[in-house]
Amino acid sequence: MSFGSQTLEKVHSASFQNASAPSPQAFISDYSKDGEEELDQARETPSVVQIDPKSDIGQPPDGGRRAWTMALMGHLMVFNTWGYINSFGIFQAYYVTNLGRTPSEVSWVGSVQTCLVFLVGTFSGRGLDAGYYRPILIAGVTLEIFGIFMTSLSTSYWQLFLAQGVCQGLGDGLMFCPTVALISTYFSTRRTIAISCVASGAATGGIIFPLIAQQLLPKLGFAWTVRVMGFVVLANSVIIIAFIRTRVPPRTSGPLIEWVAFKELPYVLFTAAMFLILWGTYFAYYYTRPFAIAVTHASETTSFSLLLILNGIGVPGRIIPAIIADHYFGAMNLLIPTTLCASLLLYAWAGVGTLNGLYPFVVIFGYFGAGVQGLFPATLASLTDDPQKAGVRIGMVFSIVSVACLTGPPLAGKLVQSMDGGYLGTQMWGGTVLLAGTAVLIGARTAKAGWKLNVRV
């Protein structure tokens, strides 16, 4: 509460005419009835100046050495987590061949790992908001590295499931959500390009890890190949822990789940859309290599090359849409046509029967599939106005879409198995759920900005 302008002038004058501050009774005798009421309210109010907690944070640097250093640390973190996960095609074919398990059973290892990356987001994201980012990061790094080295010692399906699926997935989940939320607090107008640069770590990791496997598996065997991957992850983790820093002061109070977010229609529709979209996106990364071997009769070396291309094209696939979104359209506006193209490509995959036809599909889908993954966290971050709630709100969506990531690839594997090794049912299912997700995403965009096409969202 503040005094009226006339009252303030009289108070200011009186304060200079008296050596000591006048008592409230003196004010009451000198001023009008309105002034009396304002003074009574002022005396009863503990603080007459309401301070917005966000005012102490300041504006994001939106660039500069410190902000881009944080983006680089985020890139390395995604390299360690999603780069390894997107290389699961290596393990998918190897485990099916050497463990005698069905593709659907093997897919559960990768899908549980992917699910936990998102599922833990609600808790790790709230931990960031509360000021516990560094201990969460260290715990995540420890679990991730422990899981990788235990994978190198595993000889049975359940050992691999616990080491690679559960342990490594939990570690990745502790790191991924809070780091994405942290990077978003350093940027405003350049947020989409910054988060997409972070997300492109999945592509660079998706190149390096398959290259390691391609070169070392025939020479060193499975165990030492995985250990070399573990040492790469360890080296990156040391750099991340040394340099990454939070910017926003902790928000110690507040609920674990921000239930009020589910009253926002754009937020709810966006969550539903991404559930459908991610349900059908990741199976292509799991099954491109097995498809190449089984359907096009490609060699092991060629199938590795296809996986490298699929992940490698993800670098421009994440960066180019982010630049276009930041400069022209907005993240959500560009995400809609990107998911539409990805859905149509999954339908088109059904027409591929030769290796010459598979190469163009891998290149084009690699671009649009990466665009979906890069624009997803950038769009989600744009739906949160308060940076002190970024962790929990991003984590809530991550936890919901984790169910889609858990069930998508095994469901695709079951469809392949039910069609005696044929991929048509899986391809039709993937294209359909992405198309449905695109329709819901249009609804989210409409709820946010209406039908005006020239509004950046």
Side-chain angles (χ1 to χ4, degrees), residues 201-215:
T204 52
I207 296 171
I208 298 301
F209 290 122
L211 272 175
I212 292 172
Q214 185 181 34
Q215 297 299 315

Side-chain angles (χ1 to χ4, degrees), residues 186-203:
Y186 279 89
F187 294 89
S188 54
T189 61
R190 298 177 179 176
R191 183 180 293 165
T192 302
I193 182 63
I195 294 181
S196 293
C197 286
V198 170
S200 66

Side-chain angles (χ1 to χ4, degrees), residues 8 23 73 124 170 211 219 233 241 245-246 257 301 317 338 341 361 384 393 417 441:
L8 278 173
S23 66
M73 296 303 102
S124 59
L170 285 171
L211 272 175
K219 300 174 183 177
V233 171
I241 292 172
R245 296 290 184 273
T246 57
I257 299 175
T301 302
T338 302
C341 290
F361 166 77
T384 300
R393 285 173 63 97
Q417 187 179 350
L441 192 59

Side-chain angles (χ1 to χ4, degrees), residues 292-444:
I293 295 171
V295 177
T296 69
H297 309 292
S299 65
E300 290 284 333
T301 302
T302 302
S303 67
F304 270 119
S305 298
L306 287 165
L307 187 60
L308 285 171
I309 294 169
L310 179 65
N311 286 324
I313 202 70
V315 176
R318 287 170 172 84
I319 300 299
I320 293 174
I323 294 173
I324 296 172
D326 265 351
H327 285 83
Y328 300 105
F329 301 112
M332 188 181 293
N333 285 341
L334 196 60
L335 181 58
I336 291 170
T338 302
T339 55
L340 176 62
C341 290
S343 69
L344 296 177
L345 284 165
L346 289 179
Y347 284 129
W349 189 9
V352 176
T354 66
L355 189 58
N356 289 335
L358 187 57
Y359 274 108
F361 166 77
V362 165
V363 171
I364 302 172
F365 181 82
Y367 178 86
F368 286 102
V372 169
Q373 296 173 69
L375 291 171
F376 161 46
T379 306
L380 177 56
S382 71
L383 295 176
T384 300
D385 296 325
D386 185 351
Q388 289 186 307
K389 296 180 180 179
V392 65
R393 285 173 63 97
I394 291 174
M396 284 158 54
V397 177
F398 281 1
S399 295
I400 292 170
V401 302
S402 69
V403 179
C405 298
L406 173 67
T407 57
L411 177 57
K414 203 67 178 176
L415 289 170
V416 171
Q417 187 179 350
S418 67
M419 298 189 70
D420 299 322
Y423 283 78
L424 180 62
T426 301
Q427 292 155 342
M428 294 299 102
W429 167 79
T432 301
V433 294
L434 256 75
L435 192 60
T438 303
V440 180
L441 192 59
I442 293 172

Side-chain angles (χ1 to χ4, degrees), residues 239-295:
I239 298 172
I240 294 167
I241 292 172
F243 287 98
I244 201 161
R245 296 290 184 273
T246 57
R247 189 186 75 87
V248 177
R251 180 173 64 98
T252 54
S253 62
L256 176 64
I257 299 175
E258 194 78 13
W259 293 108
V260 71
F262 292 114
K263 295 180 180 179
E264 302 171 16
L265 186 58
Y267 185 89
V268 172
L269 290 176
F270 179 79
T271 303
M274 291 314 304
F275 183 97
L276 292 169
I277 291 165
L278 296 182
W279 204 20
T281 297
Y282 287 113
F283 88 90
Y285 290 85
Y286 285 32
Y287 286 97
T288 294
R289 187 166 175 251
F291 177 88
I293 295 171
V295 177

Side-chain angles (χ1 to χ4, degrees), residues 6-7 9-12 14 26-36 39:
Q6 183 179 5
T7 304
E9 290 175 4
K10 293 182 180 181
V11 172
H12 184 71
F27 280 133
I28 294 170
S29 63
D30 289 343
Y31 297 101
S32 65
K33 185 177 179 180
D34 290 339
E36 288 182 24
L39 280 167

